[in-house]
Amino acid sequence: MKDVSQLERQVQRYISRLQGVVRKIVTDYLKMEEPQSLKFVRVGISPLPDGTYKLSIKIYHSKPLKLESINEIVRRLRRYVNVSEWRICAPHAGAIRIEAQLSIDLLQELLTSSGVVR
């Protein structure tokens, strides 16, 4: 039982690190390309009922962002998180949400490459 809780803690630590890396990718790019537009970025990774995980990136902005900037963010994220289908929505005027679904296999691959799971 202790091994399971230890593995769960490791997985949570990895998810936290993944959130930080994704936030850094988005923030660094937008600070470079559109510094006047960016307020802040929130990243969440949450389990779904089907056993997959949802990666949700919320970009809060004060001015409209260029479509090319959003496309470039997705290109950069795709290089880091090998997910082919990304979705975008704007739940309200001050935020843009980019989402992807992470399969168990992809999450395990990311965990293995980071050394969390062997």
Side-chain angles (χ1 to χ4, degrees):
M1 192 70 146
K2 189 172 185 172
D3 291 334
V4 172
S5 64
Q6 184 179 12
L7 179 60
E8 287 173 357
R9 282 193 305 274
Q10 287 178 322
V11 168
Q12 287 305 315
R13 276 195 300 267
Y14 176 73
I15 286 174
S16 179
R17 279 185 287 179
L18 180 59
Q19 288 172 310
V21 169
V22 168
R23 183 180 305 106
K24 182 168 176 34
I25 289 169
V26 174
T27 303
D28 287 354
Y29 178 76
L30 287 175
K31 280 183 177 178
M32 180 179 64
E33 289 299 315
E34 300 201 42
Q36 309 84 3
S37 298
L38 180 65
K39 284 186 177 177
F40 59 94
V41 175
R42 285 197 178 142
V43 178
I45 299 174
S46 56
L48 295 171
D50 65 358
T52 61
Y53 285 81
K54 177 174 78 170
L55 170 62
S56 179
I57 305 153
K58 294 178 186 170
I59 302 169
Y60 292 86
H61 55 91
S62 56
K63 296 180 182 177
L65 298 171
K66 295 178 208 164
L67 181 58
E68 183 52 41
S69 294
I70 301 300
N71 287 335
E72 181 60 27
I73 288 169
V74 171
R75 278 191 284 278
R76 289 170 184 240
L77 290 170
R78 192 176 280 155
R79 284 193 293 257
Y80 186 74
V81 181
N82 189 20
V83 175
S84 59
E85 186 176 313
W86 293 82
R87 296 175 183 256
I88 185 169
C89 68
H92 53 78
I96 295 171
R97 185 169 42 217
I98 302 171
E99 295 181 338
Q101 193 167 348
L102 307 176
S103 68
I104 295 298
D105 294 337
L106 176 62
L107 191 58
Q108 185 172 3
E109 180 183 311
L110 290 168
L111 291 170
T112 302
S113 68
S114 72
V116 173
V117 176
R118 296 180 200 262

